[in-house]
Structure formats: structure tokens, C-alpha cells
Amino acid sequence: MNEETCPVCPEGNVARTDATGRAEMVPELLAWTSSLAHDRSLVREDLLGSAAHVTMLHQVGLLETADAQALRGALFAMFDEATAGTLVLADGEEDVHMAIEARLTRELGQVGKRLHAARSRNDQVALALRIHVRDQAARTLAEVSNLLTELAERATMERDVVLPAYTHRQRAQPITAGFLVAAWANQMMRAAQAVSVALDRANESPLGCGACSGTSLPIDRDVVAAMLQFNGTTSNALDTIGDRDFVLDWTWAGARVLLALARLATDVIDFTTSEFAFLKIGDAIAAGSSMMPQKKNPDVFELVRSKASRGVGNLTSMLVLVKGLPTGYARDLQDDRQAVLDTGPLVRGALRAVRGAMIHLAFDAERCLRAVSDGSTQATDVAEALVRKGLPFREAYKATGQLVHLARERGIDLATLPLADARTVHDAFDAAVLAVLDPRVAVAAKKSAGGTAPERVDEQIGNVRAVAYELSEKIQNVPQLEELRRSLASVSI
Ligand code: ARG
């Protein structure tokens, strides 16, 4: 948004109603302080919150039945218009909450003025944000679950492709591509846990906290919480209205998912270079160069990395926004909107991009195997074979080091060093020990828990599938906005 002029009310014609009690504020400043440009994206969440509030006011005797019916009808109608994309909140207002109230008052007259009893915009905005974060977190978990399922499939498919693992970006030890894909999935599962925590933390109703200390009106916060399918209510009004920890959790979780994707993306970007050439990039996802006809670029994965930067930016802006605020509400909190609203679509877009692009990547099994065929990456396996024969590890390490040195001196691969020469270094070397120079043998022997042996990778894949399933189960309990609207509308009054 252009911060100099407000696009929703360029002439500065904001807050024409006296509902906020500041009709005399300088119009340009009023326009500049408006959050409507951003929080109009939260209109459906806000309308659902208001529908629950009205229903509760009626249940506790603060609203006549006819008034409650009129208000609910108007709120649901606006929700449906918002869903269809036809809702017009044309009047310049300070924020979406005032815009809705202004419209209700225009439509319903005096009845519209009854809506805001026992509530403040401070708890109202917290409510809209919490519904938004819960919904976005659930949708994100659905995408993560899909990606994990895809990664599990892929890991199974690639369980026999052998390639080097890297430490310090230097060839280290042979692994399978299935094991690498399972590693990507593990990082994603931890990120999913952060999303799951963010969902749970957002899942408490703040409504009824009022401006900062509760209300003297006989409201029932639990009724609102139950209608909006929250797990419970927040416990201290003053804390609640200035609390954006659930937004910190959400932007942190979003950044975690994006970081997991970014690291996967870097592997892909590296492995599709002609220097590595472990992965072939399909034409369907390769971008060209406007000048260099030979180029097949992994732009999708580079953009995944850049989205991660934006995700970290969202988290950082929230951390800095909250830092140093006094207890209670401060208008600074209004500027949480960009970071919150950006995070969900940003994260899900990147998740979908990676899932869609992955199927157009093919491991070059032969090239991968060749990268570990000279035997050098199996030096540790040779040393461990000596340990199995009873040598102390340090002695085995030294003997194998001498073997590596000898092969280098002779200008041959470790894998082709004759047994007789090996025995001049140490008489513990025999055919069985040198057999582990075959990378496939070395991989098969890594049977320790969490290792790269195929049966271990199968266990890891099983775990990935289980987590994908758990995530998809968890989100069954989170209502989508449309479902919430239906269940709220079915509450008879
Ligand atoms: N527009 C504000 C926001 O989005 C809500 C209004 C807060 N309350 C107030 N008295 N200014 O956070």
C-alpha cells in the first residue's frame, strides 16, 4: 500500500460516523491511520465473530430476539457477499470493524448500534486474527501433509539410488537418494510441529475482554468460544488485548516451513548444475534465459528460497513490533496485519510449488553412483570393517588413512587398490574388509537407527507417512470459515 495516500479513501474521507468518538480528527491523519486497506481481508473472520457475539448477547438477555435476528441476518448476508467477492465496504472507515458497524447501522438503524455492547475493537481484532491464524495454520498443515505424502512416495521410489552425502559441501559418505528425501521430510515434520503449536495457541477466544479489563455486562465468554469452536477462552483481559504471541508463533512456524523448503531448494539447485548433475530438471519446470539459449534454470526453487526470506521478514517485523510495547493495547499492533496476512498464502504457495515441481525432477542414478565409486567416500566404512575385526578405531582410522594415501600416491582410485598392496599397510586388510569400498555394500551396512540402510529408510518413510496422516487428522477438528458460518447460522434464537 502507498503509505502516503489511503487507497480506500484517497480524499481522506474517513470515519464519517461518530462511532469512534473522534469526528474532529484531522481528515488526512484519520485517513493515514486507517487499517481498512489491510484488515478488509479479515472481514469474514470479523463477521463470524460478530455473529457469535450477537447470539451470545441474545442468550444472556442483552438483545431482544427480533434485534438479534436482524443483526444475524445482516451479518450472514455480508459474509455471503464477502465469500462471493461482492461485498462493498465503500465508506472510508478507520478499520473493517467500524466499516461493518457503519453498514449495519445504515441498514438496520438503531438496531445496528446495539452490536458493540460488551466488546471493544481491541478484543475484536484479536478475535479476527485468531480465527484467521487458526484457519491458515490448518490449511497450511493440509499442504504440509500432502507434501510429506509426496516425499514419502519419492523416498520409496529412490531407495536404490546411491549418491554422496555432503558435509562442508564436500563429498562425505554414500547414502541413498531415498534417505536424502527422508531427511527433507524430517525437517518439514519439525516445521509442521511448529505450525501445529501455532494453531493450538491461536485457538482460544479473546472476545469479551473488552478494551482492557472485561465488562460489567453479564456476558458469557464460554458461549462465544464454543460457538466459534475455540478450545477455550484467554484468561486475562489486559494481557489478551495486547497479546500477539500467537502471531509470533504463526510467523515463526511459517518461517520454519519456508526454511525447510529453502534448504531442500538449495539441494535441488546445486544438484541440477552440470557440476553435480545428480538431478535432471524437466522442461515443464525449467526456466530459460532471454540471452543464453542453452539454459535450463531452476527458477522455481530459487523463488522458494526468496519466499523464505520474506517469511523471515514477516517474523522479524512481528518481533520488532511487539518488542518494547507496554502491557495492554497500543495502536502499533495494527501494523501486524501485513505480516499476518502475507504468511499463509506465502507459505502455502511455496509448499505447492515444491510439490508440483518435485515430480519433474529425476535422479540420474548412474551419475550419482559414479560420484561415490572411486571408494574414497567409503574410507570410514573400511575403518569400521577393521573395527568389526577387533582393531581399536584409532588404529583402523590410521591404517585406512595410509591406504587412502597409498592410492593417491599411485594415482589410482582407492576402490581399485589391490589387496596385496593394502596388506603392506596393515595385515588386517582382507577381501571382506575391502568389499565395503563398493558404495552399495557400504550403504546396506549402515543399519544403525536413523541410518541410510534401506530397511532403516523404510522405517523413516513409515514415520513420514504416519505424521502426514496425523496432520490430516488434526485439521479435521478445525472448522473452515464456511463451516463455522453454517454452524453459527444453525443456532436457533
Ligand atoms: N484498527 C485497529 C487495529 O486494527 C483496531 C482499533 C483499536 N482500538 C482503538 N481504540 N484504536 O488494530
Side-chain angles (χ1 to χ4, degrees), residues 45-267:
E45 289 86 339
D46 199 69
L47 288 163
L48 292 174
S50 289
H53 181 64
V54 162
T55 311
M56 180 277 291
L57 289 180
H58 172 258
Q59 282 187 16
V60 300
L62 287 167
L63 256 188
E64 301 287 336
T65 303
D67 292 351
Q69 278 169 344
L71 282 166
R72 278 165 50 97
L75 289 164
F76 290 135
M78 274 195 247
F79 181 93
D80 296 339
E81 285 172 37
T83 303
T86 57
L87 179 70
V88 182
L89 292 174
D91 280 327
E93 287 291 344
E94 218 181 288
D95 52 37
V96 72
H97 321 296
M98 298 317 302
I100 292 170
E101 190 178 319
R103 183 169 147 170
L104 284 176
T105 308
R106 262 197 317 280
E107 276 177 19
L108 306 175
Q110 285 300 106
V111 177
K113 297 185 181 174
R114 296 192 173 276
L115 171 72
H116 211 53
R119 136 183 129 164
S120 142
R121 282 177 296 161
N122 298 350
D123 55 347
Q124 197 182 348
V125 72
L127 177 68
L129 286 170
R130 282 172 176 274
I131 296 175
H132 173 81
V133 168
R134 180 178 68 174
D135 180 57
Q136 292 292 313
R139 288 161 184 259
T140 301
L141 286 181
E143 287 293 344
V144 170
S145 172
N146 290 340
L147 179 64
L148 288 176
T149 304
E150 177 75 30
L151 291 176
E153 296 286 300
R154 195 60 194 261
T156 309
M157 246 175 80
E158 312 292 1
R159 68 199 286 287
D160 296 325
V161 175
V162 174
L163 80 173
Y166 289 79
T167 61
H168 315 270
R169 223 20 160 191
Q170 306 286 325
R171 284 179 191 170
Q173 294 186 336
I175 57 169
T176 66
F179 184 64
L180 171 66
V181 174
W184 293 337
N186 269 273
Q187 195 187 354
M188 186 52 70
M189 290 193 294
R190 290 191 300 277
Q193 244 168 25
V195 177
S196 181
V197 167
L199 193 161
D200 293 339
R201 298 257 169 86
N203 208 1
E204 289 183 336
S205 175
L207 205 69
C209 285
C212 60
S213 62
T215 173
S216 60
L217 294 168
I219 60 165
D220 189 336
R221 293 186 58 201
D222 291 332
V223 166
V224 172
M227 275 188 289
L228 294 170
Q229 299 183 36
F230 281 108
N231 283 342
T233 54
T234 60
S235 66
N236 175 295
L238 182 60
D239 170 51
T240 297
I241 45 94
D243 171 21
R244 292 294 182 274
D245 289 355
F246 66 97
V247 175
L248 292 180
D249 291 332
W250 167 231
T251 47
W252 158 251
R256 288 283 304 278
V257 172
L258 288 163
L259 289 180
L261 293 174
R263 294 186 73 176
L264 176 161
T266 292
D267 284 349

Side-chain angles (χ1 to χ4, degrees), residues 33-36 39 94-97 120-122 125 129 244 329-337:
T33 59
S34 171
S35 56
L36 189 54
D39 59 20
E94 218 181 288
D95 52 37
V96 72
H97 321 296
S120 142
R121 282 177 296 161
N122 298 350
V125 72
L129 286 170
R244 292 294 182 274
Y329 180 82
R331 189 70 179 273
D332 310 46
L333 292 172
Q334 171 176 301
D335 268 339
D336 61 14
R337 241 38 57 86

Side-chain angles (χ1 to χ4, degrees), residues 410-433:
R410 299 260 167 94
I412 58 172
D413 288 346
L414 182 63
T416 54
L417 192 77
L419 176 57
D421 294 343
R423 292 182 66 86
T424 64
V425 171
H426 200 296
D427 60 9
F429 287 117
D430 60 22
V433 169

